[in-house]
Amino acid sequence: KPDVTDNRFATLGSMYKDRSAVTVTFKTQINDKFSLGFAKYKSAEISLDYSTASTFFGAVSLPNPYVALSVDTMPLLGRYELDERVSIIGGLKYSTGSGGGNIISAPAGVIEAKADSVVGGIMGASYEIPEIALRISGVYQAKQEMSHSSTTTVSGTVIDLENTKSALPASLTIDFQSGIAPDTLLFGSIHRAFWSDAHISFWSTTALGGGGTGSYIQKSTWTDTTSLSLGIGRKLSDQWAVSASLNYEAASAATGTSLLSTTDGVRGITLGGKYTSEGGITISAGINRSKLGNKAVTSLGQTGNFTNNSVTSIGFKIGHNF
């Protein structure tokens, strides 16, 4: 549940919409050395709508911008244990993205970008010392570029566009955990995503707000990000455990020109709990409250100051070991 407003473009309510997602994972041990895992999850999403958040666009006789984009990913991963401490990880991920909306200009109209799918690689390694619950892993995910067959509808007329371009960025993730006292675990992660090389670009003409006879116009203004988390978990009994962690992403662009990107940096806290039954069922739940960094967005000759914004997230997980 995001709460993102400013003093110009989104004065009535949040321009980012509430979102939910379901993740499914499965892992099986093939033999003493090799295990195989599969997952299905939403790896990227933009869900914004100024129609209930703004009076600005109606006042200047422009349509309210809205965008709904999502990318679903299914990875198949294998893990091979070289010895009791070192393992290698590798596999492929299959991602499908689609979306649409109205971004006012370049191109004008209601855009539909149809689904496109692409395969990318994943590789990594891990090191662990089971006696102290130490585990360090690093995973690299390759960039995935997509090309979406697209149209825009202007005053009831459907106009074919060149394919919309989008991408999931290359990324590197380091996860670690270690026992620091009896029944107490320190854990954390570092995630680096190269968003400056993974933008959304639309094809447009002069008639649709672009330039010349037709060209690609980059609509996103993302920069590379580094996300950090650090937390402590505590086992209270054989059935119950609790945890608390902090998350942080440094600010990187305090100003911008895209109404699709209105925050800059994140810092927050998560509280969680976990119950483990004697039958191998685990139930986990948690809540995160994050403060979103301020950003000044200049568009259509106006500047909106997006300040004092936040997002609240609730997660629930059920698992079964058999």
Side-chain angles (χ1 to χ4, degrees):
K1 184 177 176 61
D3 182 12
V4 180
T5 61
D6 77 331
N7 63 337
R8 181 67 62 184
F9 301 108
T11 57
L12 301 180
S14 181
M15 43 76 65
Y16 287 122
K17 312 310 294 180
D18 293 356
R19 301 185 307 223
S20 62
V22 175
T23 296
V24 178
T25 61
F26 174 81
K27 177 188 173 185
T28 185
Q29 196 75 30
I30 304 299
N31 55 41
D32 291 343
K33 294 287 188 179
F34 184 72
S35 57
L36 191 66
F38 170 82
K40 184 179 186 300
Y41 56 88
K42 191 177 295 293
S43 52
E45 183 177 27
I46 300 175
S47 180
L48 64 90
D49 189 350
Y50 284 87
S51 62
T52 59
S54 179
T55 59
F56 172 83
F57 299 97
V60 295
S61 300
L62 289 173
N64 288 289
Y66 71 93
V67 175
L69 302 174
S70 65
V71 181
D72 293 305
T73 296
M74 293 186 293
L76 180 66
L77 298 176
R79 178 172 178 256
Y80 183 78
E81 299 179 30
L82 298 177
D83 55 39
E84 65 176 6
R85 295 193 174 185
V86 179
S87 301
I88 55 174
I89 304 163
L92 297 172
K93 62 175 181 176
Y94 179 82
S95 296
T96 300
S98 63
N102 191 324
I103 57 173
I104 301 179
S105 179
V110 178
I111 304 166
E112 180 184 7
K114 296 181 179 179
D116 186 38
S117 299
V118 63
V119 176
I122 304 175
M123 59 182 179
S126 66
Y127 175 80
E128 52 192 309
I129 303 177
E131 296 82 4
I132 58 172
L134 173 69
R135 176 180 170 85
I136 302 173
S137 65
V139 174
Y140 174 81
Q141 301 188 56
K143 177 183 176 182
Q144 292 182 284
E145 295 181 291
M146 286 169 276
S147 181
H148 311 272
S149 175
S150 300
T151 61
T152 187
T153 302
V154 181
S155 300
T157 301
V158 178
I159 302 171
D160 291 328
L161 303 174
E162 297 293 334
N163 288 1
T164 298
K165 298 178 180 179
S166 70
L168 284 177
S171 66
L172 176 64
T173 306
I174 299 174
D175 291 295
F176 69 91
Q177 68 171 51
S178 179
I180 55 174
D183 298 326
T184 305
L185 192 70
L186 178 71
F187 60 89
S189 69
I190 303 171
H191 178 74
R192 177 71 169 171
F194 300 96
W195 283 105
S196 61
D197 190 37
H199 290 288
I200 298 173
S201 297
F202 294 101
W203 186 84
S204 188
T205 64
T206 301
L208 297 174
T213 58
S215 60
Y216 277 101
I217 299 175
Q218 179 182 304
K219 302 300 290 189
S220 56
T221 57
W222 300 317
T223 57
D224 295 346
T225 60
T226 301
S227 303
L228 310 174
S229 69
L230 183 66
I232 293 179
R234 176 72 178 175
K235 181 180 178 181
L236 304 178
S237 67
D238 290 339
Q239 285 78 41
W240 291 97
V242 293
S243 65
S245 63
L246 302 174
N247 59 284
Y248 174 79
E249 181 181 299
S252 58
T255 62
T257 59
S258 174
L259 291 170
L260 312 185
S261 178
T262 59
T263 65
D264 185 33
V266 182
R267 62 182 187 274
I269 184 170
T270 300
L271 301 176
K274 180 178 180 180
Y275 172 78
T276 303
S277 74
E278 295 181 357
I281 295 176
T282 60
I283 300 174
S284 304
I287 183 169
N288 172 272
R289 176 73 171 178
S290 290
K291 170 77 172 177
L292 304 175
N294 299 337
K295 189 166 186 175
V297 178
T298 301
S299 181
L300 302 171
Q302 302 286 327
T303 297
N305 294 299
F306 289 83
T307 60
N308 299 318
N309 294 315
S310 63
V311 60
T312 302
S313 305
I314 296 174
F316 177 83
K317 181 170 72 173
I318 183 168
H320 181 57
N321 300 314
F322 53 90

